[in-house]
Amino acid sequence: MRRDAPLSSDEPAEPLYRQLAQRLSDGIEQAGLGEGSRLPSVRTLAAQYGVSLTTALQALRWLETKGRIEARPRSGYFVAKRARRSKRTSVEGVSGEASDKLAHRWSDPPPELDSQARDHLAMVGEPCAVRFDLASAEPSLYPIDRFSVLLRRLAYQHRDLVGSHVRGAGYPALRREIARQAMQYACELDPDELVITNGCVEALNLALRAVVRPGDVVAIESPAYFVLLQMLRALEVKAWPIPCHPETGMDLHALKEAFAHVPIKAVVTVANGNNPLGSVASNAAKEALVKLLRERDVPLIEDDIFGDVCFGETRPAPVRAFDTHGNVLLCGGFSKSLCPGLRLGWLAAGRFTERVKALKYTTSMATAELQQAAVAEMLASGGYALHLRRLKAALRQQLTVMREAVLRYFPDGTQVTDPAGGFVLWAKLPALGSRAISTRTLFELARAEGIGFAPGHLFGEGGAYDDCLRLNAGNQWTSELEAAVERLGVLARQAVRDDGRSLP
Amino acid sequence: MRRDAPLSSDEPAEPLYRQLAQRLSDGIEQAGLGEGSRLPSVRTLAAQYGVSLTTALQALRWLETKGRIEARPRSGYFVAKRARRSKRTSVEGVSGEASDKLAHRWSDPPPELDSQARDHLAMVGEPCAVRFDLASAEPSLYPIDRFSVLLRRLAYQHRDLVGSHVRGAGYPALRREIARQAMQYACELDPDELVITNGCVEALNLALRAVVRPGDVVAIESPAYFVLLQMLRALEVKAWPIPCHPETGMDLHALKEAFAHVPIKAVVTVANGNNPLGSVASNAAKEALVKLLRERDVPLIEDDIFGDVCFGETRPAPVRAFDTHGNVLLCGGFSKSLCPGLRLGWLAAGRFTERVKALKYTTSMATAELQQAAVAEMLASGGYALHLRRLKAALRQQLTVMREAVLRYFPDGTQVTDPAGGFVLWAKLPALGSRAISTRTLFELARAEGIGFAPGHLFGEGGAYDDCLRLNAGNQWTSELEAAVERLGVLARQAVRDDGRSLP
């Protein structure tokens, strides 16, 4: 690859990274680099072309989206295989017919993955040594041995759980147990309105599809759980961000404002153990939210997956507990609180139950019953409260230690949440001098060293939260984790942006 | 309830059933019938008002959709609870604001369930004594004992299958086994393009969402698997029916015709063991279909769930086997062929793989791995072929006997398929004199007696196939089943339509 000719800086319209990308692409061609040839590292490129790490990375990503090169985890970038390149090109050829595209708003092909989706898949799709990325606790914090016993007994005694055609809303005993649990925090659920889902993500998906249509606008908290943002985009539903405060939750004043100007069709909230903020809204705020939406006849979708792992004296009530009109679609699940591997969630859909049942049938038909029966027995047998106490104590302690480490090792001025529940910390990094830190760049740098975390841009739109990141505290604290936080602090100082800077 | 005043027949604009519905509703009010009061049976109403069973049923269904009355399985119709009635009314009030509705095409609330969806849910949601409705075989035809052993061993030895956070495309060993199986019928699948799904229904759903958007048109076979029709409606995708022949499959001439006039964005086919027709398309037809779609750059979604239970000497190749451009999204699963209760399907998405993986993540995130590991071991251990031989022999024999019974007991002139694969028979009933038989009416009559089947209108749109029905032959033949077929034959003779007839 030729690196001798200097990059030109007299074309301000072309972003820096695109200039560099073009140069690299030409270089690959001219040097006749074959598929699989390794490209120089991000650092090397940045130094050679006198650009920041961010710009070098953007150039590589651009070539990656073009199918010209490919990233390999922890190895770097390589010239892509020819097959992959031509496939991509043909896909682009189809979507590139702009005239046709504009003429038929609803007949474009589904959009290509955006950079959020790609980072997202990169994050979850590969092994990494330090998992600060996903909101997951380590298996030792879950009653796995008991599940092992339960599953074995059920697989032996109730072969119909395996052999029979499965239908409908889910295993009746599990639906009853979920309703019984909810009574403990004054939330009345009818087993007949409950639909068991493949994880809480499916519950959210069904809830959304039950109340909004493509093109509609949904108000969400900002920052927001990144899967929700991707889900809305996949459903062609527009997200309307409402600021969310780390201590008090969704800003109801801003929501009211939005109602005055935007045709909002539904609202999504994570009131208990907000992801990523860790906030728990007050009962007064929950009541006010219910009232506000009831007045406007706008349904609320509540994601309560972290409700059982909030740290207060009593389990906080979901917003749904304050609703008497079937207007709240409450989504829950067991992947965070009881057993990550079983992929069980649920949805209590109030007055939308019939619609949700029909959607479930055409989305995945039914959920396998063996694991439903196991969770039902676990809940019925009464050890759940004890397990939760242990899990919450561990999470709380791990969050505290990790928070201290972040404040110690990250650049001065870093702000970090003090969560009232859940698994994660949310940190906002300061500017270094006049240059903002980009956690997208940090993400790539850390990923190359086997340290995963969730970069802030996943939690917002249009580059929001690029100076933030989410860290998972679900794993037991060790000196390795401490070293990883320290290393992130070092890398953060290198991950500054240089937007708008012209080339040397 | 007053039944003395005669029904008026001087308002031809008002359909007969609506007149009757109004009369019944007034009657409930005037008689002050409280919630839970039982209404006269369909037969009684039909006799009292001098209308056909179909008309009486339509009237009751109309009142049911209005929330005025409710159906209880095998008991009849009852005055609805007040709560239910007021809830329904409020929902209607919202969607009834017509001006607002027309102004915002994409901001209407999602449509209420139609009669297809309601019949569908009624069909699957309640127990019935004779299950001719679902395409399911009885548990004794599946290797349940072996799964019991496998699951117990896995739950003991591999607790990580239960305790670990689950991600991505699915259990690697299962993806490899699926690719290995496919090689046996000359279909090359790459484990890296495979995504494990919650049943084949989720695979279909993801495949559709990967290639079409709301408002697009998809060509489907007609008659079509009813879940597909409901799925398309839920996704706001238009179905374009292409005739499908009981022996040769999808009519490619008609498909070509459609391409000339309709902006078809994708095609869905069930080429092997078509549901409901039981047809298997020839290899020549499969090649021609691939070629046709390749020329037009239109993706094909292939539902091959019944591919492994086709009766020929060799397992028929899926259409995908003839494709070399990644243009076929092949959907499969194990609920029909190996183990109904595990809810496992898969999707090989070709050039749409990246998109499907992103959609999977925001639809259900991942599929539980314990059952994936069990199926992987089952496939690897080699007993699958032997199991399939036994299953197919049983299905074939049961289909033959059931077919004979239908020809014996159903009205003269009934036509019935002779399936080349799968679980089901498709029968077309003759007109009795000048009056067509409505299998919707038959469905209600049979349901009241605990006999379930799938009425023809579920398989088409706009009242198509109302003279057809699908019967499941998955259960071992018994004298009870024979008696049920005989009874269906008797009821069919009563289930005639009297559309357009004026009242006496």
Side-chain angles (χ1 to χ4, degrees):
Chain A
M1 189 182 301
R2 298 192 334 177
R3 292 188 208 91
D4 43 353
L7 279 171
S8 133
S9 63
D10 53 3
E11 296 167 40
E14 183 85 7
L16 206 53
Y17 76 93
R18 291 282 285 275
Q19 292 180 45
L20 178 55
Q22 189 58 53
R23 182 66 56 86
L24 293 173
S25 181
D26 293 348
I28 291 169
E29 218 53 61
Q30 286 158 17
L33 292 187
E35 32 177 276
S37 300
R38 189 188 192 125
L39 298 184
S41 75
V42 180
R43 280 168 202 285
T44 307
L45 287 174
Q48 279 174 338
Y49 290 96
V51 296
S52 71
L53 289 170
T54 306
T55 302
L57 259 169
Q58 283 175 332
L60 290 167
R61 277 167 169 285
W62 175 255
L63 291 173
E64 197 185 353
T65 64
K66 297 285 136 192
R68 196 86 178 87
I69 64 174
E70 57 192 16
R72 294 184 196 160
R74 290 202 246 178
S75 306
Y77 286 87
F78 296 79
V79 177
K81 285 184 195 149
R82 211 151 283 277
R84 186 175 154 86
R85 279 147 71 185
S86 64
K87 262 184 207 167
R88 290 292 191 106
T89 311
S90 95
V91 169
E92 283 186 348
V94 172
S95 62
E97 289 158 7
S99 61
D100 193 90
K101 202 169 178 176
L102 294 171
H104 304 292
R105 165 146 166 57
W106 291 110
S107 62
D108 297 340
E112 291 297 306
L113 297 186
D114 59 15
S115 63
Q116 268 190 335
R118 277 196 308 271
D119 277 354
H120 182 179
L121 288 175
M123 189 173 87
V124 302
E126 61 194 45
C128 76
V130 180
R131 290 237 83 126
F132 291 153
D133 46 3
L134 306 159
S136 64
E138 60 185 74
S140 68
L141 290 174
Y142 295 105
I144 306 306
D145 288 343
R146 253 186 94 192
F147 270 111
S148 171
V149 172
L150 273 174
L151 286 163
R152 278 141 61 199
R153 182 160 62 65
L154 288 164
Y156 182 73
Q157 290 177 345
H158 295 282
R159 306 196 179 187
D160 55 315
L161 292 172
V162 179
S164 292
H165 189 78
V166 177
R167 273 154 297 126
Y171 195 66
L174 179 58
R175 288 187 278 127
R176 283 195 302 273
E177 282 303 320
I178 290 168
R180 200 174 63 82
Q181 288 289 325
M183 280 175 60
Q184 298 178 17
Y185 41 89
C187 183
E188 274 182 47
L189 305 180
D190 181 345
D192 287 339
E193 67 169 321
L194 277 161
V195 173
I196 306 299
T197 57
N198 295 297
C200 187
V201 167
E202 189 181 62
L204 277 172
N205 193 294
L206 296 174
L208 274 169
R209 292 169 59 208
V211 299
V212 297
R213 300 177 56 187
D216 280 352
V217 183
V218 168
I220 61 166
E221 290 159 337
S222 181
Y225 176 40
F226 51 83
V227 173
L228 174 64
L229 290 175
Q230 289 292 323
M231 191 187 292
L232 291 170
R233 210 165 306 160
L235 297 173
E236 308 209 21
V237 171
K238 297 183 196 102
W240 192 267
I242 303 294
C244 193
H245 190 272
E247 273 157 31
T248 51
M250 186 185 259
D251 182 338
L252 293 189
H253 185 70
L255 181 60
K256 251 182 222 165
E257 273 285 307
F259 273 125
H261 304 105
V262 187
I264 289 169
K265 295 290 169 187
V267 176
V268 183
T269 190
V270 192
N272 295 332
N274 180 283
N275 180 1
L277 295 181
S279 55
V280 173
S282 67
N283 283 349
K286 288 169 182 167
E287 272 193 88
L289 180 59
V290 163
K291 189 160 167 285
L292 183 65
L293 299 198
R294 176 65 196 155
E295 280 162 14
R296 284 159 178 80
D297 203 17
V298 169
L300 177 71
I301 296 168
E302 180 175 16
D303 176 357
D304 201 45
I305 182 87
F306 291 107
D308 278 358
V309 288
C310 290
F311 306 142
E313 280 295 297
T314 54
R315 202 277 196 199
V319 181
R320 157 77 192 231
F322 301 93
D323 169 75
T324 51
H325 290 84
N327 200 40
V328 178
L329 298 101
L330 181 64
C331 304
F334 301 101
S335 299
K336 306 297 181 189
S337 57
L338 186 56
C339 195
L342 298 181
R343 300 293 315 135
L344 282 179
W346 51 268
L347 171 54
R351 64 188 172 94
F352 305 98
T353 300
E354 199 186 5
R355 209 177 277 170
V356 164
K357 285 182 180 173
L359 284 171
K360 167 72 180 174
Y361 205 80
T362 64
T363 302
S364 63
M365 191 167 273
T367 299
E369 292 195 350
L370 180 65
Q371 53 258 54
Q372 293 188 58
V375 170
E377 288 219 10
M378 180 72 86
L379 294 179
S381 65
Y384 185 50
L386 193 67
H387 152 68
L388 275 186
R389 266 204 295 282
R390 183 169 157 259
L391 173 63
K392 289 191 291 186
L395 289 173
R396 196 171 195 173
Q397 188 260 335
Q398 288 160 198
L399 280 165
T400 303
V401 181
M402 184 176 226
R403 187 166 187 273
E404 282 162 9
V406 169
L407 289 172
R408 188 176 319 130
Y409 296 118
F410 275 37
D412 284 347
T414 296
Q415 298 169 44
V416 58
T417 51
D418 187 7
F423 290 50
V424 296
L425 290 179
W426 177 251
K428 181 173 159 57
L429 303 186
L432 296 181
S434 65
R435 298 165 83 192
I437 294 173
S438 164
T439 57
R440 283 188 69 175
T441 304
L442 179 58
F443 173 65
E444 297 285 349
L445 296 176
R447 185 182 165 196
E449 301 187 10
I451 304 173
F453 69 86
H457 79 107
L458 292 184
F459 299 82
E461 307 214 292
Y465 307 116
D466 194 34
D467 55 349
C468 297
L469 77 171
R470 194 192 73 175
L471 293 168
N472 174 39
N475 295 300
Q476 208 191 346
W477 196 250
T478 61
S479 55
E480 281 82 27
L481 293 197
E482 173 134 0
V485 171
E486 184 173 8
R487 184 70 189 145
L488 280 179
V490 171
L491 294 174
R493 290 173 176 85
Q494 302 172 16
V496 288
R497 299 167 62 136
D498 57 354
D499 313 69
R501 259 202 332 141
S502 64
L503 281 169
Chain B
M1 189 181 303
R2 298 189 339 176
R3 292 190 207 90
D4 43 351
L7 278 170
S8 135
S9 62
D10 52 5
E11 297 168 38
E14 183 86 5
L16 206 52
Y17 76 95
R18 292 282 284 275
Q19 293 181 45
L20 178 55
Q22 189 57 53
R23 182 66 55 84
L24 293 173
S25 180
D26 294 347
I28 290 170
E29 218 52 62
Q30 287 158 17
L33 290 189
E35 34 177 272
S37 300
R38 189 188 192 124
L39 298 183
S41 75
V42 180
R43 281 166 201 286
T44 307
L45 287 173
Q48 279 176 340
Y49 290 96
V51 297
S52 71
L53 288 169
T54 306
T55 301
L57 259 169
Q58 283 175 330
L60 289 166
R61 275 165 170 285
W62 176 254
L63 291 172
E64 198 184 353
T65 65
K66 296 286 134 193
R68 197 84 181 86
I69 65 174
E70 57 192 17
R72 295 185 196 160
R74 290 203 246 179
S75 305
Y77 288 86
F78 296 78
V79 177
K81 285 182 195 151
R82 210 152 286 275
R84 186 175 155 86
R85 277 146 73 184
S86 64
K87 266 184 206 167
R88 291 296 193 101
T89 311
S90 95
V91 169
E92 283 186 352
V94 172
S95 63
E97 291 156 4
S99 61
D100 194 88
K101 201 170 177 174
L102 294 172
H104 305 289
R105 165 149 165 54
W106 291 111
S107 62
D108 296 342
E112 292 296 308
L113 296 185
D114 60 14
S115 65
Q116 268 190 335
R118 278 197 307 273
D119 276 354
H120 181 180
L121 288 175
M123 190 174 86
V124 301
E126 62 192 46
C128 77
V130 179
R131 290 237 84 127
F132 291 154
D133 45 4
L134 306 160
S136 64
E138 60 184 75
S140 67
L141 289 174
Y142 295 105
I144 305 307
D145 288 342
R146 252 186 94 191
F147 270 111
S148 171
V149 172
L150 273 175
L151 287 164
R152 279 143 58 200
R153 183 159 63 66
L154 288 164
Y156 182 73
Q157 291 177 346
H158 296 281
R159 304 193 183 188
D160 54 315
L161 292 171
V162 178
S164 294
H165 189 79
V166 176
R167 274 154 297 128
Y171 194 66
L174 178 57
R175 289 188 278 126
R176 283 196 300 273
E177 281 304 320
I178 290 167
R180 200 174 63 82
Q181 288 289 324
M183 281 174 61
Q184 298 178 16
Y185 41 90
C187 184
E188 274 180 47
L189 305 181
D190 181 344
D192 287 338
E193 66 169 323
L194 278 161
V195 172
I196 307 298
T197 57
N198 295 297
C200 188
V201 167
E202 190 181 60
L204 278 171
N205 193 294
L206 296 175
L208 275 168
R209 290 169 61 208
V211 298
V212 296
R213 301 177 57 188
D216 280 351
V217 183
V218 167
I220 61 166
E221 290 160 336
S222 180
Y225 175 40
F226 50 83
V227 173
L228 175 64
L229 290 174
Q230 290 292 323
M231 190 186 293
L232 290 170
R233 211 165 305 161
L235 297 174
E236 308 209 20
V237 170
K238 298 182 197 103
W240 192 267
I242 304 293
C244 193
H245 190 272
E247 274 157 32
T248 52
M250 186 185 259
D251 182 337
L252 293 190
H253 185 71
L255 180 60
K256 251 182 222 166
E257 274 284 307
F259 273 124
H261 303 103
V262 187
I264 288 169
K265 297 288 170 188
V267 176
V268 184
T269 188
V270 192
N272 295 333
N274 180 283
N275 178 4
L277 293 181
S279 55
V280 174
S282 67
N283 283 350
K286 288 168 182 167
E287 273 194 86
L289 180 58
V290 163
K291 187 160 169 287
L292 182 64
L293 298 198
R294 176 65 198 158
E295 281 162 12
R296 284 161 178 78
D297 202 16
V298 169
L300 177 70
I301 296 169
E302 179 175 17
D303 176 357
D304 200 46
I305 183 86
F306 292 107
D308 278 357
V309 288
C310 289
F311 308 140
E313 280 295 297
T314 54
R315 201 278 197 198
V319 180
R320 156 78 191 229
F322 300 92
D323 168 73
T324 52
H325 290 82
N327 201 38
V328 178
L329 299 102
L330 181 64
C331 305
F334 301 101
S335 300
K336 305 297 181 190
S337 56
L338 187 55
C339 195
L342 298 182
R343 297 295 313 137
L344 281 180
W346 50 267
L347 171 54
R351 65 187 171 95
F352 305 97
T353 300
E354 198 186 6
R355 209 176 277 168
V356 165
K357 285 182 179 172
L359 284 171
K360 167 71 181 177
Y361 205 79
T362 64
T363 303
S364 63
M365 191 166 275
T367 298
E369 291 196 350
L370 180 65
Q371 54 259 53
Q372 292 188 57
V375 170
E377 288 219 11
M378 180 73 87
L379 294 179
S381 66
Y384 185 51
L386 193 68
H387 152 68
L388 276 185
R389 266 204 295 283
R390 183 170 158 256
L391 173 64
K392 291 191 289 186
L395 289 172
R396 195 170 197 174
Q397 188 260 337
Q398 286 160 200
L399 280 164
T400 304
V401 181
M402 184 176 225
R403 186 167 188 272
E404 282 163 10
V406 169
L407 290 171
R408 187 176 320 128
Y409 296 117
F410 274 38
D412 284 346
T414 297
Q415 298 168 44
V416 59
T417 52
D418 188 5
F423 291 51
V424 297
L425 290 177
W426 177 250
K428 181 172 158 57
L429 304 186
L432 295 180
S434 63
R435 298 164 86 192
I437 294 173
S438 165
T439 57
R440 285 189 68 175
T441 305
L442 179 57
F443 173 65
E444 298 285 349
L445 296 175
R447 183 183 167 195
E449 300 186 10
I451 304 174
F453 68 85
H457 79 106
L458 292 184
F459 299 82
E461 307 215 291
Y465 307 117
D466 194 35
D467 55 350
C468 296
L469 77 172
R470 193 192 73 174
L471 293 167
N472 173 41
N475 295 300
Q476 209 191 346
W477 196 248
T478 60
S479 56
E480 281 83 24
L481 293 196
E482 173 132 3
V485 172
E486 183 172 9
R487 184 67 189 147
L488 280 179
V490 171
L491 294 174
R493 290 174 176 84
Q494 302 172 15
V496 289
R497 301 165 62 135
D498 56 355
D499 315 68
R501 258 203 332 143
S502 64
L503 282 168

